[in-house]
Each structure stands twice: as structure tokens, then as C-alpha cells.
Amino acid sequence: MTRNKRDAMTVDLFDSIGEAEPAPQTLCPGAVILPAYAGQDDRLLAALQDVIAAAPFRRMVTPGGFSMSVAMSNCGSFGWVTDSTGYRYDSIDPMTGRVWPRMPDCFSSFARDAAAEAGFDGYTPDACLINRYEPGARLSLHQDKDERDFSWPIVSVSFGIPAVFLFGGLSRADKPMRVPLLHGDVVVWGGAARLRYHGVMPVREAYHERLGRCRINLTFRKVT
Ligand code: MD6
Ligand code: FE
């Protein structure tokens, strides 16, 4: 794969300190991993602190009545929520009764750049779901299909301790691939991959120097 624009600008700097950013990897048609693409970017984690102060992490309840092991929050015009009545996107945080915190500019420009890197120009996400995994937390296989237009990708950013991403097919029964995701890794997920089943294996006990015993994942979506 050809070197991207960001590499061209940063490769000399990283090479000189022995930390060249690896090239993008195609998982399957439509899904690309940008390894460590967010690893140098402390602005995202700094901005995240303000978002979480306004809309704290909470464990939501599924329609089946179970409390999720992953704690969640959102920012942007819409947030993904679940409760006993079902899943939906909502412009109001049910916990605070207020609109979700606005999406920080560094979030939207980061997601736009990552999407462009993977071949999706003009990406303007209006929702960012924020997931927090402590050791043992997991996300069962699901499709992301509550958005209006599946031609826009999802941009997923991982921080903190490692996780194994389960990356299946278009049918729930397709055996998933196991993809390790590390601090700073970005997955851009669209096109023919957009409706693939996916999930996260139970996160193993670990410690990250920046985030402690915790994995944070941001998934950007264009809902409307
Ligand atoms: C996570 N991610 O990695 C959960 N969905 O914590 C997702 O559910 C996801 O990473 C769609 C596309 C990319 C993702
Ligand atoms: Fe998902």
C-alpha cells in the first residue's frame, strides 16, 4: 500500500527517533487498520476528560434486562443508548436530561482525516460513542445498523490496555477473525464491511501507563 500523506510529513521525525508509524493494513474489503494512528495525539484524551465530566460513564441496560459490562458515554448531536425499551440514537442523555456534550473539534477533524486516509472523503460524524472496558468487560457480536446511510464508515479509535477485536462476516454464524487492537490503533470500517458482525473478547487484566487498568474506544458514526 502506498504511503499516506500523514506518513510523508511525519516519517522523518519518527524515523529519527526510531518510531516510524506502520503502514495501513487492509483487514478485508472496506475495513482498514491504521496502526498507532492516534498514538501520538494527546489532544483526544485531554478533550475526552471534559466530555466525561459532562456526561459520565454509565453501564446501560439492554432490552433483555442485563446491565452491560462496558460503561458508555457519548458526545455529538446524537448518542447511542439502550434501555429496557430498546436501542436507539437520542439527542438527550437520559442520565442528565441534557443534550450530549458537543463533539470536540479535535475529535471531528481526527475522524475526518482517518476516514480520508482509508478512502472516505468528506466524513462529518455527528455521533461519537465512548466505550470504557475494565478487565473482564466484553462486547458480544453485533452489527452497527441504526444509522441512516451505510455508505459512511465508522471510525474506531482504541486507547489503553489491549483488546482482541472479533471481526466476523455478514451472517452471525460466520466465524470471526481475531484482531488485536493496541493503544492508538484506528479501524476505519465501511463499504462492503459496513454491516459485518463484530465484538470484543473479554479484556484481559493489564495496566497501561496512561490509562491504568482500562481500555477506551471511541466510535465515530454519521447517524443522520
Ligand atoms: C470497541 N467497537 O472496539 C467496540 N463497531 O470497543 C465497535 O463496536 C465497533 O470498533 C463498528 C465499527 C468499529 C468498531
Ligand atoms: Fe459496533
Side-chain angles (χ1 to χ4, degrees):
M1 190 171 288
T2 54
R3 280 215 166 264
N4 51 56
K5 231 191 294 169
R6 188 167 180 270
D7 276 347
M9 289 189 306
T10 54
V11 70
D12 291 341
L13 176 64
F14 288 151
D15 277 354
S16 67
I17 55 173
E19 288 184 29
E21 184 184 288
Q25 298 164 6
T26 299
L27 270 179
C28 70
V32 178
I33 302 192
L34 309 174
Y37 189 75
Q40 315 289 31
D41 202 335
D42 266 7
R43 287 175 317 157
L44 295 177
L45 287 173
L48 179 64
Q49 289 197 321
D50 298 336
V51 169
I52 294 306
F57 284 116
R58 80 294 303 266
R59 286 173 62 191
M60 299 186 199
V61 174
T62 64
F66 295 99
S67 192
M68 297 184 75
S69 58
V70 180
M72 297 182 168
S73 185
N74 292 277
C75 63
S77 302
F78 299 95
W80 186 88
V81 294
T82 174
D83 60 20
S84 57
T85 67
Y87 310 124
R88 66 184 182 278
Y89 282 103
D90 201 320
S91 57
I92 302 293
D93 176 351
M95 197 174 87
T96 65
R98 296 189 300 263
V99 295
W100 297 101
R102 74 181 294 275
M103 193 182 299
D105 291 338
C106 65
F107 275 35
S108 22
S109 59
F110 180 88
R112 185 196 60 225
D113 291 350
E117 206 66 74
F120 298 93
D121 282 329
Y123 187 54
T124 53
D126 53 12
C128 176
L129 171 63
I130 304 158
N131 292 154
R132 185 189 67 194
Y133 298 73
E134 285 170 343
R138 61 188 289 269
L139 194 63
S140 53
L141 280 183
H142 65 277
Q143 291 173 296
D144 288 16
K145 57 177 184 187
D146 296 330
E147 303 77 25
R148 188 175 58 83
D149 182 352
F150 298 140
S151 64
W152 292 112
I154 290 176
V155 172
S156 158
V157 189
S158 295
F159 291 111
I161 64 178
V164 176
F165 195 58
L166 294 171
F167 182 68
L170 294 175
S171 155
R172 187 185 283 280
D174 295 336
K175 188 178 159 61
M177 298 195 281
R178 296 175 172 217
V179 181
L181 292 179
L182 306 177
H183 181 79
D185 286 352
V186 173
V187 185
V188 181
W189 175 290
R194 182 62 178 73
L195 290 175
R196 281 186 180 241
Y197 278 87
H198 58 279
V200 178
M201 295 271 290
V203 168
R204 295 180 57 163
E205 186 66 56
Y207 184 85
H208 186 268
E209 58 178 12
R210 181 74 203 270
L211 291 176
R213 293 169 71 244
C214 168
R215 169 178 185 257
I216 303 270
N217 175 266
L218 312 177
T219 55
F220 294 92
R221 296 104 193 278
K222 186 156 169 55
V223 172
T224 57

